[in-house]
Amino acid sequence: MKALSLYQDNGTLIHRVDPISKLLYIAAAIFIPVVLTGFTAGLAMLGLSLMLLVLARVLRKVVPLIGFSMLVLISVVIIQGLFYAGNRQVMFALGGVHFYREGLLFSAAICVRVLNILCAFALLVLTTRPSDLIESLVRQGLSPHFGYVLSSVLQIIPQMTGTMETITDAQRSRGMETEGSLMVRLRAFLPLIGPVVMNSLVSTRERSLALEVRAFSSRAQKTFLNEERVSTSNRVIKIVLLAAMAAAVAWRVVS
Amino acid sequence: MKKIVVEGLKYRYPLTAELALNDVSFEIEKGEFIGIIGRNLAGKSTLCQALMGLVPHFYKGAYGGSVTVDGLNVAQTEICELARKVGLVFQNPFTQVSGSKMTVYEELAFGLENLGVPRAEMMPRIESAMALLGIERFGKRNPFDLSGGQMQRMAIASVIAMAPDIIVLDEPTSQLDPQGSEEVFQAIQALSRQGMTVIMVEHKMEKIARYSDRVMLLDHGRLVDFDTPERVFSRDDLAQYGIAAPIFARICQGLGIRTPQTGLYPMTLDDAYDQVVNWHE
Amino acid sequence: MNKIEIRNLVFHYTAGEPILNDISLAFDARSTAIIGQNGAGKTTFVKLLKGLLKPVGGDVVINGINTSDATVAALARHIGLVFQNPNDQIFKNKVLDEVMFGPLNIGQSQDEARERADAALAMVGLAGRINDNPYDLSLSERKLISIASIVAMNTEIIIFDEPTIAQDFSGKEHIKAIIRDLVAQGKLVLTIIHDMDFVAETFERTLVFAQGRVLLDGSTREVFAEEEVLRQAHLEPPHVTQLAHRTGLPGTPLTVEEFVREKRAQGAMRPVTP
Ligand SMILES: Nc1ncnc2c1ncn2[C@@H]1O[C@H](COP(=O)(O)OP(=O)(O)OP(=O)(O)O)[C@@H](O)[C@H]1O
Ligand SMILES: Nc1ncnc2c1ncn2[C@@H]1O[C@H](COP(=O)(O)OP(=O)(O)OP(=O)(O)O)[C@@H](O)[C@H]1O
Ligand SMILES: [Mg+2]
Ligand SMILES: [Mg+2]
């Protein structure tokens, strides 16, 4: 089992921003468009997230994620474009089927919102070491046990991939064909499931043993190897984000 | 001072029929270097885990008798409390990795963070443990990207960094190269001379004979013998317990050489050398 | 034809950090030990033979098949590897299923697979455990299961990566017997191992790996005579040989019996001093 993760160690400016600020950014990215309802706010936010992803040089990693969610989103666009309750004005017709303006606008808003959330989360996950995220949450008072559970959840996909690789190696080493055509790989997938689940259960138990002997449950005040990053720039980021959210609320109330 | 007192310890894992430890009693002084030997399944690892409280707290099962470590009754003390005094290096280093740290350096810090060791003190402790085990070069490496032996070195270092009073090592050199395992034995001996109590399970009889103050022979969960290496390894019923004496003793036995003062076979390279070099048929 | 041929093999995990540098070797029928410092690249090397890793440069040819041109599964008919860590190898919930997995996959009939599995389990001394769940077994038993799983495949080439981990005296004797038996059947056996006494008693040929190269390659006796070179590679000669060297006994004895015989012969020759 490998401690893989989605994290990309590019060492950019974005990587040095502390995890709490990034969490706050996610909150802002969700909150502001909701408060400001309209289309542009969401689009602007999405633009900002994409820009930050480019800055962090992780855009390439996001593309497959976006691609996958597109599959779902396109179906949303089609369904809403055709059947949205408020549909009045026909925008265009395709092979005799009418798409309505209201439905398309509505679904576009949904798309922007989903992509927006996706990119904001991607920014956190791809540029933050999971251990750093947990550590800063524990510093903020989160229980270490809960932190550990959270980190296991964050790492569940990379961990499963690691276990699958190990078991695949064990299987092909003993003559089971796992390489080649899609059919072969699909056929190899089924016999993987049982062992992966079993392996995960066993290693969870072993891991908790490893944690216990390293005093994980100790009630002593924990200390941290890595120094807390309390730079002014990080504080400024937080203040700006909070201010932006407050401004959005104020704008909404006033207008 | 008695560091460890075990009295009439009996233990059975859940859902098993046989006792893994059967009426084991012994005492260990502070700073002693104790070797544990015995065939596979004799109960060595179980005894190690009983000193740390994993038996019975983690495994549950049927438990009798008592284990007292540094005045604490293990059955009534939480594992995390015992972890401040006792360090345990697992038999399989792979299962010792915390899995929540992304570099070897942080992996070593894990135990210290949990103990609440101040940051300033942490770094010299980690660095000296890494140097002791020869893994300085891998500080930034992912713990899972190490070779088997390197991972075992990391597992030992991560426990030594916690500076326990008592260190229990379950076959800690099984994957180390010959010089590496010699270095580990020397390092552990140095720690024991500084007052750390050492308990080491090992199948390398030559090393046990050379480094331990006393040797514990286990078989079928029972304590067969607990005495100096010379006496334990000179028993004529060793084969019955699945043990072969150190090679040096076997050579001397083959030549019919005994140490004149004790009448026992020489156990170590140095002792064997002294006797063999002057030997004439 | 040699069963394994390696030409100018180069490998690294991360570019710029070479692990194996230009290794060329051939393996014949002699049983061979591979020894070397931790991190020398031994496990990496055998994973390349097995096809699990592919060379960055050079060729690995197994029974005439270049590993770069074949799947691992196809190579598995020719070459078996017992992993260093049994946890990486074992994945079934029943010992018998685990041991029969390989044989069935490479085309043995149900009966033949069962027969070979039983024989292999008997050889490692675990015949009575066929219905156990491997996850309930101890490390030493799991290591033996992983050995039996490969032996049962009856491949022409068998590689052991640290087979004696966690084994007691009798476990090691079992493994020695297995290796001798495989060699007697004409199979090519390679073994990575840190136990020099075991090497001395078991293998004809020994290779010393150091920093991605083969530092020494010769008969086991020749290699263990090179005490200086061994020390450079973080190794040491077997205990018997160490004592022989210290006491000035000639001929690099490798086993207790050899030592005793040599010493007696020497004693008989030397005039007894009063
Ligand atoms: N988790 C467990 N659950 C049930 N039984 C166990 C467990 N661990 C060990 N045992 C059993 O307890 C007995 C003692 O095992 P233990 O692992 O202590 O032996 P050991 O001397 O360390 O052996 P080895 O040399 O193989 O490491 C054995 O019969 C074993 O099968
Ligand atoms: N997945 C990996 N990624 C990066 N480096 C690795 C990886 N696996 C091993 N290494 C490195 O490659 C080198 C060779 O490792 P290998 O496992 O082949 O050593 P080995 O000779 O088998 O050692 P040991 O005796 O400790 O098992 C080591 O320095 C190791 O740290
Ligand atoms: Mg054990
Ligand atoms: Mg290895």
Side-chain angles (χ1 to χ4, degrees), chain A:
Chain A
M1 202 175 59
K2 306 254 156 40
L4 304 161
S5 91
L6 297 171
Y7 169 66
Q8 295 285 299
D9 188 7
N10 297 336
T12 68
L13 208 64
I14 309 285
H15 286 74
R16 286 199 291 277
V17 174
D18 75 324
I20 302 290
S21 299
K22 288 178 196 158
L23 278 175
L24 208 56
Y25 178 78
I26 296 180
I30 297 173
F31 184 76
I32 295 179
V34 169
V35 174
L36 295 183
T37 51
F39 204 65
T40 27
L43 219 51
M45 216 56 219
L46 179 60
L48 182 63
S49 296
L50 285 173
M51 214 175 71
L52 293 173
L53 286 169
V54 171
L55 269 182
R57 285 189 275 140
V58 290
L59 195 65
R60 233 163 22 111
K61 283 265 153 185
V62 190
V63 172
L65 280 178
I66 296 184
F68 182 74
S69 50
M70 273 301 179
L71 283 178
V72 182
L73 291 175
I74 285 175
S75 61
V76 171
V77 171
I78 294 176
I79 291 170
Q80 299 294 344
L82 294 175
F83 309 118
Y84 180 57
N87 276 350
R88 301 275 178 282
Q89 204 179 334
V90 176
M91 195 138 140
F92 60 89
L94 218 107
V97 190
H98 292 118
F99 282 85
Y100 292 87
R101 186 185 147 79
E102 291 80 5
L104 287 175
L105 272 180
F106 178 76
S107 55
I110 293 183
C111 290
V112 167
R113 211 166 281 169
V114 169
L115 289 178
N116 194 12
I117 295 173
L118 199 78
C119 289
F121 268 104
L123 193 66
L124 173 75
V125 173
L126 296 175
T127 69
T128 315
R129 294 173 2 132
S131 57
D132 285 355
L133 173 62
I134 305 302
E135 199 171 301
S136 42
L137 288 172
V138 171
R139 264 187 233 274
Q140 301 293 317
L142 184 81
S143 117
H145 275 276
F146 190 73
Y148 192 78
V149 172
L150 192 66
S151 96
S152 317
V153 172
L154 280 180
Q155 298 205 28
I156 206 154
I157 292 173
Q159 210 127 82
M160 285 274 176
T161 343
T163 312
M164 268 159 74
E165 257 169 44
T166 306
I167 294 174
T168 306
D169 273 356
Q171 292 176 333
R172 59 196 184 126
S173 289
R174 282 190 275 152
M176 193 174 116
E177 201 55 79
T178 58
E179 298 157 83
S181 71
L182 188 66
M183 204 45 220
V184 172
R185 277 182 287 159
L186 273 180
R187 215 170 326 129
F189 185 72
L190 281 179
L192 258 180
I193 299 172
V196 166
V197 171
M198 185 67 189
N199 200 301
S200 305
L201 289 177
V202 171
S203 53
T204 307
R205 187 176 155 81
E206 277 173 348
R207 198 105 312 152
S208 69
L209 206 62
L211 295 181
E212 284 304 320
V213 301
R214 307 274 286 286
F216 184 63
S217 309
S218 164
R219 276 177 298 274
Q221 181 66 46
K222 270 202 193 336
T223 48
F224 297 95
L225 172 68
N226 300 318
E227 274 180 313
E228 197 170 5
R229 276 172 286 181
V230 277
S231 64
T232 26
S233 50
N234 273 328
R235 196 162 324 127
V236 170
I237 294 173
K238 283 192 199 108
I239 292 172
V240 168
L241 286 169
L242 286 172
M245 283 192 264
V249 173
W251 174 267
R252 179 66 189 274
V253 172
V254 173
S255 62

Side-chain angles (χ1 to χ4, degrees), chain A residues 2, chain B residues 137-138 141 144-150 175, chain C residues 13-14 17 19 36-45 84 161-162 192 194:
Chain A
K2 306 254 156 40
Chain B
R137 282 183 298 136
F138 306 116
R141 184 80 69 81
F144 289 100
D145 286 346
L146 295 173
S147 79
Q150 290 164 348
Q175 304 189 38
Chain C
Y13 289 99
T14 321
E17 293 171 31
I19 304 287
Q37 185 179 4
N38 290 134
K42 305 179 294 297
T43 297
T44 307
F45 177 69
Q84 185 164 0
D161 196 348
E162 312 255 2
I192 298 177
H194 289 303

Side-chain angles (χ1 to χ4, degrees), chain A residues 205, chain B residues 13-14 16 19-20 38-47 49 59 91 170-171 201 203, chain C residues 129 136 138-141 166 168:
Chain A
R205 187 176 155 81
Chain B
Y13 284 97
T16 61
L19 287 170
R39 70 167 105 228
N40 290 139
L41 310 185
K44 305 180 296 296
S45 299
T46 308
L47 181 58
Q49 304 192 75
Y59 291 101
Q91 190 166 12
D170 197 351
E171 295 181 43
V201 175
H203 289 302
Chain C
R129 312 300 288 271
D136 292 337
S138 75
L139 179 64
S140 54
E141 292 168 308
D168 61 8

Side-chain angles (χ1 to χ4, degrees), chain B residues 40 153 175 177 179 254 281, chain C residues 38 84 166 168 231 235 264:
Chain B
N40 290 139
R153 287 164 189 258
Q175 304 189 38
D177 57 56
Q179 275 178 38
E281 204 158 29
Chain C
N38 290 134
Q84 185 164 0
D168 61 8
R231 300 255 173 225
L235 301 170
R264 285 190 190 280

